[in-house]
Amino acid sequence: MDDRVRGALDGVAPIEAAGVTVSVTPRFDRAVLRGDAAAFGVGLPDQVGSVAERDAGAVLCLGPDEWLALAIPGGAVLRVAGAGAAVDVGHRQTALDITGRLAAALLNAGCPLDLHVTAFPPGSCTRTVCGKAEIVLWRRAAERFHVEVARSYAAYLWAFLAENARGLR
Amino acid sequence: MLLIPCPFCGPRPEIEFVYGGEAHIARPADPSALDDAAWAAFLHTRSNPRGRHAERWRHLHGCARFFNVVRDTVTDRFAEHEAGG
């Protein structure tokens, strides 16, 4: 990915509220993989909604033939042999890191999913909505979420989360 | 809000889906052979039953896949999934 391209939320200070902190993650590579799991050089999770962590990165299974690779370095993820397609989407999305006791409560201000730790346990991922924006949600730990949002929606989602964080108790 | 059973993701909130209309509507193989009434019937006429209704949904803000499911139009209860088409 090209470091000369500005991020959607460059230089924004984290949202600090009672029980939750929202910050913009450092930038990393992303790729969308579509097709047969066997066509790709990296091992892919086969259950929709599951995550395979690789070093600092991860591969999220979003659909029966769709994966989102996050922070897998070296370009290995873009090598395809067979019926598949890998597309670099490094600049398409911005990632937020939401941590704290009320992280799920903050997301539930705009996300209709049941985010109780038994219904959506750590290691789960899915595409869903938050407010008016589509997001990809990955629960890294009981009180830590990774949120991928299209860069054109990033400012909206940030303002939405900042506003709703004010109401948390 | 309805909870719609996605065959890949399980029951999910309605807001993640878009409706795809009645299932099993086959496009005529040779549209030019049809008269206007038959073509209009293919385009616009739907069964609109009271009760079981086979319909298409797309889990757009989820796995993004289309699927067929039977819904009761009286109770809004979802019954079994069907093969695609």
Side-chain angles (χ1 to χ4, degrees):
Chain A
M1 90 184 256
D2 187 340
D3 290 333
R4 292 169 299 179
V5 178
R6 292 189 59 211
L9 294 172
D10 281 355
V12 176
I15 300 168
E16 308 265 5
V20 65
T21 301
V22 184
S23 54
V24 182
T25 68
R27 302 170 76 179
F28 52 80
D29 289 317
R30 298 176 181 82
V32 167
L33 314 179
R34 296 295 304 270
D36 291 339
F40 300 96
V42 293
L44 302 176
D46 55 358
Q47 284 289 318
V48 176
S50 64
V51 178
E53 297 203 43
R54 301 258 184 288
D55 303 324
V59 182
L60 283 56
C61 184
L62 298 179
D65 62 357
E66 179 179 7
W67 296 267
L68 178 65
L70 303 177
I72 308 280
V77 78
L78 294 175
R79 281 195 287 276
V80 183
V87 179
D88 182 344
V89 294
H91 294 298
R92 187 179 77 175
Q93 284 155 217
T94 297
L96 308 181
D97 194 24
I98 304 182
T99 58
R101 176 177 58 86
L102 295 177
L106 175 61
L107 281 163
N108 273 147
C111 175
L113 289 185
D114 182 354
L115 296 181
H116 190 273
V117 72
T118 55
F120 193 73
S124 304
C125 72
T126 184
R127 189 160 34 213
T128 182
V129 292
C130 186
K132 299 283 186 187
E134 181 176 282
I135 60 170
V136 171
L137 193 59
W138 166 29
R139 187 173 217 152
R140 304 189 66 155
E143 297 184 347
R144 184 177 183 202
F145 291 88
H146 179 102
V147 174
E148 293 275 325
V149 61
R151 61 176 293 139
S152 56
Y153 277 98
Y156 160 78
L157 185 67
W158 188 265
F160 181 90
L161 294 174
E163 187 66 25
N164 284 284
R166 296 172 60 201
L168 293 177
R169 292 288 180 273
Chain B
M1 191 184 291
L2 294 177
L3 283 177
I4 299 175
C6 172
F8 302 105
C9 307
R12 299 286 288 252
E14 178 187 0
I15 196 171
E16 293 183 352
F17 293 81
V18 289
Y19 184 57
E22 185 172 359
H24 311 305
I25 304 291
R27 182 183 172 89
D30 183 8
S32 62
L34 270 53
D35 61 18
D36 287 352
W39 182 245
F42 157 69
L43 287 180
H44 305 299
T45 306
R46 296 294 179 264
S47 59
N48 193 27
R50 185 179 191 280
R52 288 168 55 84
H53 185 227
E55 56 196 16
R56 307 178 76 215
W57 288 87
R58 185 179 181 208
H59 194 192
L60 179 64
H61 303 299
C63 61
R65 273 346 91 107
F66 278 95
F67 59 93
N68 287 359
V69 68
V70 174
R71 177 176 61 95
D72 190 304
T73 58
V74 178
T75 62
D76 264 347
R77 286 189 191 284
F78 286 86
E80 69 274 24
H81 287 110
E82 298 186 320

